[in-house]
Amino acid sequence: MPLVRTLRLSCVAVSCLLVAMLAGCATSDLQLKPSYQPVSDAKGAGGSLVLASSLEGTVPGVGERIQWILGEVKDTDGKVKGNVTSPTAPSALVRDALQKELLRAGYAVQVTKAVPQEAAYGLVLAASTLQLDETRSLVKVEADCRVSFSVEIWVKGAKTNTLSFESRFSDFAVRDREKLHQDVLQKAFASAFKRALPAIVEQLKK
């Protein structure tokens, strides 16, 4: 009987350990709600401006039940422990940030799937990538954000130029991983748009 009792206790202990390990794995995921604040001081001529882009983002009717993967959560050995996710698609985050910067520059921005032939001025967000990764150790959390995008310039129904931009920013913290990722994303975006907006505004003046 003592042997049977010992085996039962051992099984219970192992089961508790497995549950704890699985719970630890589950908490490695990080769900973010990124919010970008525009920073560029570029001022445009104003007026209507069409911003054409894929309209993917939060799927209507499901709220935040669908999560888009922005990057991976890894340990210091490079083993993937989870994902960094958002209820908004990576391309939509780039599009929304560009729209905020254009509004700040003085344009009345209309987001559509394509630039209408009759539009005087338009931009096409032709390609964009966003990667936000995390590396965790016992003492700190590191975050690394890379963003790149290309913008086609359209004037009076004709494409006049294509501009490409990219940026990368990394940082670490010992706590509050959500704030760390938000700050890293903000700074990576800000670095890209501080260069992008003056160039875009200049092209729209031609």
Side-chain angles (χ1 to χ4, degrees):
M1 290 298 292
L3 178 58
V4 173
R5 183 179 181 184
T6 300
L7 287 174
R8 287 177 178 173
L9 289 175
S10 297
C11 290
V12 171
V14 170
S15 298
C16 291
L17 179 59
L18 288 173
V19 170
M21 290 174 65
L22 290 173
C25 291
T27 57
S28 293
D29 285 341
L30 176 62
Q31 294 184 3
L32 297 177
K33 296 180 182 179
S35 176
Y36 175 70
Q37 300 301 317
V39 296
S40 177
D41 293 325
K43 296 299 179 183
S48 298
L49 177 63
V50 175
L51 173 58
S53 165
S54 166
L55 298 181
E56 69 174 353
T58 302
V59 179
V62 298
E64 298 178 8
R65 285 179 290 168
I66 290 182
Q67 292 287 317
W68 300 82
I69 295 177
L70 303 183
E72 296 177 330
V73 178
K74 299 180 180 180
D75 61 20
T76 52
D77 293 325
K79 185 176 181 180
V80 177
K81 295 294 186 178
N83 294 302
V84 180
T85 66
S86 165
T88 306
S91 59
L93 291 172
V94 177
R95 179 197 67 217
D96 293 347
L98 177 57
Q99 181 181 8
K100 288 180 179 180
E101 290 286 4
L102 293 169
L103 290 170
R104 180 182 171 91
Y107 295 101
V109 183
Q110 177 187 2
V111 178
T112 64
K113 289 185 178 181
V115 177
Q117 187 67 30
E118 66 275 13
Y121 299 99
L123 301 176
V124 176
L125 187 58
S128 65
T129 62
L130 171 61
Q131 186 77 19
L132 183 58
D133 295 316
E134 175 183 295
T135 302
R136 303 182 68 183
S137 69
L138 293 176
V139 296
K140 65 179 180 180
V141 175
E142 299 178 45
D144 178 67
C145 183
R146 289 160 286 172
V147 59
S148 65
F149 56 92
S150 295
V151 179
E152 297 177 357
I153 311 296
W154 287 72
V155 178
K156 297 179 181 178
K159 184 173 73 171
T160 59
N161 206 344
T162 300
L163 307 175
S164 297
F165 306 92
E166 62 180 21
S167 180
R168 184 174 186 173
F169 188 82
S170 302
D171 204 354
F172 71 91
V174 295
R175 59 181 180 179
D176 201 344
R177 59 198 288 237
E178 184 172 346
K179 182 178 184 301
L180 169 66
H181 284 74
Q182 173 61 48
D183 290 346
V184 167
L185 183 143
Q186 170 70 29
K187 291 176 180 177
F189 271 43
S191 176
F193 285 116
K194 281 181 179 179
R195 290 178 283 112
L197 260 292
I200 291 173
V201 167
E202 185 62 30
Q203 288 292 318
L204 291 173
K205 290 179 180 178
K206 295 180 178 181

